[in-house]
Amino acid sequence: MSTAMNAKIIGSGEETLVLAHGFGTDQSIWDKVVPYLADHCQVVVFDWCFSGAVKDPDLYDAAKYSTYDAFADDIICLLDEMKLKSSVFVGHSMSGMIGCIASIKRPDLFHKLILVTTSPRFLNSEDYEGGFELSDVEQIFSSIESNYEQWTSSFSVLVVDSSDPESVEKLEKSLKRMRPEVALTLAKTVFLIDHRDMLEKVTTPCYIIHTRNDIVVPNSVPEYMQNKIKGECKVEIINTNGHFPQLTAHHDFVEVIDAILADK
């Protein structure tokens, strides 16, 4: 499992951080923050099976990974193989909810969850603002299917702070490494799921990191999650725009992580 997922441990320290990337990226999305975190922590990085960095294309099975449960099982298997318990899980975007599910299944694995620009549901409903209408996500699926190259460029500009062209380019390159057919099936899983009912089962202390303005996840979502999560839950807002604070405000991001680690 660890070999297939390109898992590695960087640095050393009493605390173990498990960094889980989101849709369309790979472990390199953490490159700016790992050197700072590994200075005083043991940092685990890996690639999910959908990532363009994973060598075996057969690892990703669209039917198996049509829910977050299979991803949660993967991270549980990985941490068991690495003999890691009571770590801090840092999940970006979709991985935040995957971490929540894994923590419900195996509370012994994590003593803190850090949920970075995470959402339990992206679709709007009568009583919930997810940020997208069904027609919006259907347009995303259509764009991925009809011209994936063009979509990766336009999507990257939308979700990363455009005042940071280097980070926009990093996401675009990462998306382009992903196979279009994988991107399409995974996008359907991500944008159509509804895991709001999972939140009240989460008892591990949670820290939600959000940005000032994220086009993917409205500002109302962290507040919603904080109200629903059963365990202790705090929200930290980083003064940057977009969905990727670990890219666009990495110094602030590390400061927030350090403060969370110090919070006993």
Side-chain angles (χ1 to χ4, degrees):
M1 179 65 77
S2 60
T3 305
M5 294 172 75
N6 302 325
K8 54 181 180 277
I9 294 175
I10 303 160
S12 60
E14 290 181 15
E15 194 74 85
T16 300
L17 295 178
V18 180
L19 307 185
H21 68 83
F23 172 87
T25 62
D26 55 46
Q27 61 183 260
S28 71
I29 208 75
W30 305 107
D31 282 356
K32 283 185 176 180
V33 302
V34 164
Y36 298 96
L37 298 173
D39 196 39
H40 54 283
C41 292
Q42 180 172 254
V43 180
V44 178
V45 288
F46 67 93
D47 297 314
W48 289 118
C49 58
F50 58 76
S51 162
V54 167
K55 292 182 176 66
D56 184 357
D58 295 330
L59 275 182
Y60 178 80
D61 178 295
K64 177 182 176 183
Y65 291 101
S66 61
T67 75
Y68 285 174
D69 265 294
F71 292 110
D73 291 341
D74 282 356
I75 194 67
I76 289 168
C77 287
L78 178 65
L79 296 181
D80 280 347
E81 184 185 312
M82 298 176 93
K83 296 182 168 53
L84 293 172
K85 283 191 177 179
S86 197
S87 59
V88 176
F89 182 86
V90 184
H92 178 240
S93 199
M94 64 180 283
S95 284
M97 285 311 301
I98 293 167
C100 286
I101 294 166
S103 77
I104 296 165
K105 293 184 175 199
R106 287 282 302 280
D108 59 307
L109 288 181
F110 312 116
H111 71 93
K112 286 178 181 173
L113 298 174
I114 302 177
L115 315 176
V116 184
T117 58
T118 291
S119 176
R121 174 183 164 100
F122 290 99
L123 288 177
N124 298 326
S125 63
E126 280 182 21
D127 59 344
Y128 174 81
E129 182 193 8
F132 294 85
E133 296 295 336
L134 184 58
S135 57
D136 299 328
V137 297
E138 285 174 343
Q139 182 58 55
I140 291 172
F141 304 153
S142 173
S143 299
I144 291 174
E145 207 164 9
S146 61
N147 192 334
Y148 184 63
E149 288 280 310
Q150 186 182 333
W151 178 79
T152 59
S153 303
S154 57
F155 185 72
S156 300
V157 172
L158 273 179
V159 299
V160 180
D161 189 340
S162 57
S163 67
D164 185 350
E166 189 183 312
S167 293
V168 173
E169 185 184 4
K170 184 175 183 65
L171 177 61
E172 186 179 340
K173 283 182 175 175
S174 184
L175 282 166
K176 280 180 165 54
R177 284 195 293 271
M178 200 175 174
R179 286 175 293 146
E181 65 275 17
V182 172
L184 179 61
T185 56
L186 185 62
K188 288 180 177 176
T189 298
V190 171
F191 283 107
L192 298 177
I193 57 107
D194 184 355
H195 279 319
R196 290 177 295 172
D197 61 332
M198 287 290 177
L199 298 175
E200 61 191 25
K201 299 173 186 172
V202 177
T203 56
T204 304
C206 290
Y207 299 80
I208 297 170
I209 296 179
H210 205 63
T211 65
R212 191 180 57 231
N213 181 27
D214 180 357
I215 197 169
V216 183
V217 182
N219 290 341
S220 58
V221 171
E223 186 182 338
Y224 175 89
M225 292 175 68
Q226 187 179 29
N227 289 333
K228 294 290 183 182
I229 286 171
K230 189 172 183 182
E232 181 191 1
C233 185
K234 298 178 181 179
V235 176
E236 300 286 346
I237 306 294
I238 289 181
N239 189 26
T240 186
N241 292 320
H243 195 58
F244 291 82
Q246 69 272 55
L247 290 180
T248 58
H250 65 283
H251 290 298
D252 292 348
F253 185 83
V254 170
E255 276 184 20
V256 170
I257 296 283
D258 283 345
I260 290 169
L261 297 181
D263 186 15
K264 299 303 180 187

